[in-house]
Amino acid sequence: MIYLDSAATSFLKPPCVAQAVVDAMHTVGSPGRGAHPLTLAASRTVWACREAVAELLGAYDPARVCFTPNSTVALNTAICGLYGPGDHVITTALEHNSVLRPLYRLEEQGMELTILPADETGNIDYEDFARALRPNTRGVVCTHASNVTGNTLDLGRIGAFCGAHNLTFVVDASQSAGVLEVNQQAVGASVVCFTGHKGLLGPQGTGGLSVAPDVTLRPLVVGGSGVHSYDRRHPQDLPEGLEAGTLNACGLAGLLAGITYIRDQGRENLYRQEMKLAQAFVNGVRSLPGVTLYGDVDAPNRTAVVSLNLGEEDAGEVADVLAQEFGICTRAGAHCAPLIHEALGTSARGAVRFSFSHLNTPQEVAQAVDAVADLAGRI
Amino acid sequence: MLRKPQLRLVITFHTTAEALRTEQLARAAGLEGRLIPVPRQLSAGCGLAWSGAPETEKTLRLTLEGAGIQAEQMAQLTI
């Protein structure tokens, strides 16, 4: 089997990640719940993971790195914790439903929303941010990298715009954390949301958000915190303020191992490796008859995501044949990002997404190119 | 054409859980079929569909009814 679906989850992981999860299951108790050796071991693991995330993402403070089960919960926490009726928020057509749906729900409650359009290559016009400004504009929520095209947004430019207009800035780093440089302080992001199981190479069920010191979020969930048990209200101080309930300490041990691996190998090195594979794939398929590639496939600073269609074939059918006949795992459909498909003109049939990991091999890429060529020859 | 089209019974569902339960029930009943991406003839969205032999329609319909599974769509399609 050839796994080319790393934008969905990093199935290919260094062995240290699974080992760390298994080890933690034998060595840690409940994090932040008491002071016996096993709970302390759990608490230390979780804290080490906060420090590792903070270092990798240029966060302000490890104590303001709060863990959630995934990026969707982190984004809901940030978006619903910051905005409400009467506010105006700007986002883009590149977004995943984990950004769009919380915004749509707030819109139904009286929040105003502007979605900046993308062109047919999946890029936005940065001048649109200024054009979208209103007196009640409170913030910008945007992805760092599209999960469909691999195109990236210039966080530094958007962060500067937010800073100039006193707006909060929420970044969805689901597709970029561990892959591209994400530096919360440098771009002035109020909140950076991340998932653990993609570029950070950790297990599913891990993710979180890093919150800037001047930002206060209403928590989505309240309950057990391990501290202030006689207080009727959930504690406000971070990280516990956004972490009701027992954390996934074993998963976070795996996430810590993933981030440590990235640090030891060098994030830039891993990124270069996977981009080399993605570019080889692009170069192999771009001139095949009937192949349509989407996005800015030759742009610098993109991610190793390549979406395509074959003639007028159903993307789901292409992905199914790739899996059944060639053992190649891809992702077809709308990728939970409907607006970018509208921009690309692929709403009706979606696209087939190939997403690469540094742990893929050139041979696997060559096989994928051969498979696409085979299918292109059938249409 | 990527492969030879065949007439298939295609069932789509409201949830992925229902698709997986259908696979479980069909396997337990020894019915031929497998889960596939939803064909675009039925939906532009994502998700899983059950693709089975057309002659299993009546049996599957009864099986799903018995299990309280309400299919979103059930159609015989050439795919």
Side-chain angles (χ1 to χ4, degrees):
Chain A
M1 187 194 71
I2 299 174
Y3 187 77
L4 300 179
D5 197 14
S6 291
T9 195
S10 56
F11 173 78
L12 305 172
K13 298 186 203 292
C16 59
V17 173
Q19 191 59 54
V21 176
V22 172
D23 289 348
M25 292 183 77
H26 294 295
T27 54
V28 308
S30 182
R33 306 291 193 273
H36 62 71
L38 296 184
T39 66
L40 289 177
S43 298
R44 290 178 190 122
T45 299
V46 171
W47 176 253
C49 195
R50 293 190 208 282
E51 290 186 311
V53 169
E55 184 186 356
L56 189 73
L57 301 185
Y60 292 89
D61 180 355
R64 298 182 72 82
V65 172
C66 308
F67 291 119
T68 60
N70 49 51
S71 202
T72 294
V73 173
L75 284 160
N76 271 266
T77 302
I79 293 168
C80 301
L82 279 172
Y83 311 120
D87 295 335
H88 172 240
V89 173
I90 302 170
T91 190
T92 81
L94 275 67
E95 309 307 319
H96 189 275
N97 274 336
S98 54
V99 166
L100 294 173
R101 285 178 171 164
L103 288 172
Y104 290 150
R105 191 161 66 171
L106 289 174
E107 193 179 26
E108 287 170 4
Q109 296 165 9
M111 192 195 78
E112 297 170 26
L113 179 63
T114 298
I115 301 173
L116 305 186
D119 62 22
E120 65 280 2
T121 53
N123 290 320
I124 62 167
D125 178 352
Y126 288 90
E127 300 301 322
D128 281 346
F129 281 101
R131 286 190 276 266
L133 268 180
R134 298 177 191 173
N136 59 335
T137 303
R138 284 279 316 282
V140 171
V141 185
C142 72
T143 188
H144 189 186
S146 163
N147 68 316
V148 176
T149 62
N151 292 6
T152 57
L153 293 180
D154 184 343
L155 297 185
R157 187 167 177 179
I158 300 169
F161 168 81
C162 291
H165 297 281
N166 198 27
L167 308 178
T168 51
F169 181 26
V170 177
V171 174
D172 173 8
S174 301
Q175 292 290 327
S176 61
V179 176
L180 298 172
E181 182 180 8
V182 179
N183 191 319
Q184 182 178 17
Q185 293 186 66
V187 302
S190 310
V191 184
V192 173
C193 300
F194 61 93
T195 188
H197 70 101
K198 296 187 181 184
L200 295 176
L201 304 175
Q204 294 171 11
T206 60
L209 62 167
S210 173
V211 184
D214 57 341
V215 173
T216 302
L217 299 176
R218 294 182 300 270
L220 275 187
V221 182
V222 295
S225 59
V227 294
H228 302 303
S229 293
Y230 290 98
D231 195 330
R232 288 169 62 91
R233 292 162 304 175
H234 193 83
Q236 292 185 342
D237 291 338
L238 300 187
E240 287 87 353
L242 298 177
E243 291 181 343
T246 302
L247 288 176
N248 177 7
C250 298
L252 293 172
L255 176 58
L256 173 60
I259 296 173
T260 303
Y261 167 88
I262 292 166
R263 188 188 63 204
D264 292 347
Q265 297 288 316
R267 179 192 56 75
E268 298 92 338
N269 292 334
L270 303 181
Y271 172 67
R272 271 195 294 272
Q273 288 174 44
E274 64 189 41
M275 281 311 299
K276 193 173 170 185
L277 296 171
Q279 208 55 52
F281 178 76
V282 167
N283 292 337
V285 302
R286 74 189 324 159
S287 57
L288 293 172
V291 170
T292 304
L293 289 168
Y294 300 103
D296 237 351
V297 292
D298 295 315
N301 299 320
R302 50 179 288 100
T303 60
V305 170
V306 183
S307 289
L308 58 77
N309 270 317
L310 280 176
E312 296 302 316
E313 298 295 331
D314 180 354
E317 171 77 355
V318 174
D320 195 46
V321 176
L322 285 169
Q324 296 293 315
E325 291 188 27
F326 299 92
I328 297 174
C329 301
T330 60
R331 171 82 194 279
H335 313 96
C336 300
L339 302 183
I340 193 66
H341 278 283
E342 286 179 16
L344 300 172
T346 51
S347 300
R349 60 175 171 157
V352 188
R353 182 182 69 189
F354 297 73
S355 48
F356 300 86
S357 158
H358 68 280
L359 293 169
N360 285 123
T361 66
Q363 291 73 26
E364 289 177 326
V365 173
Q367 285 177 261
V369 170
D370 288 346
V372 175
D374 186 312
L375 298 187
R378 300 184 199 179
I379 59 176
Chain B
M1 176 190 320
L2 299 180
R3 54 188 166 191
K4 190 179 169 191
Q6 289 181 310
L7 182 67
R8 301 290 290 168
L9 169 69
V10 180
I11 308 173
T12 62
F13 306 92
H14 296 285
T15 67
T16 301
E18 288 172 330
L20 292 168
R21 284 180 65 204
T22 298
E23 179 187 56
Q24 212 171 32
L25 292 165
R27 283 189 175 167
L31 301 175
E32 181 266 327
R34 68 183 178 90
L35 292 170
I36 62 168
V38 175
R40 76 169 145 169
Q41 293 103 305
L42 294 182
S43 168
C46 306
L48 293 173
W50 176 258
S51 166
E55 58 271 21
T56 62
E57 178 168 351
K58 191 177 173 188
T59 310
L60 256 178
R61 201 179 281 277
L62 289 171
T63 304
L64 296 188
E65 272 177 24
I69 297 173
Q70 194 175 11
E72 188 178 53
Q73 294 181 81
M74 188 179 287
Q76 298 214 4
L77 293 179
T78 301
I79 56 173

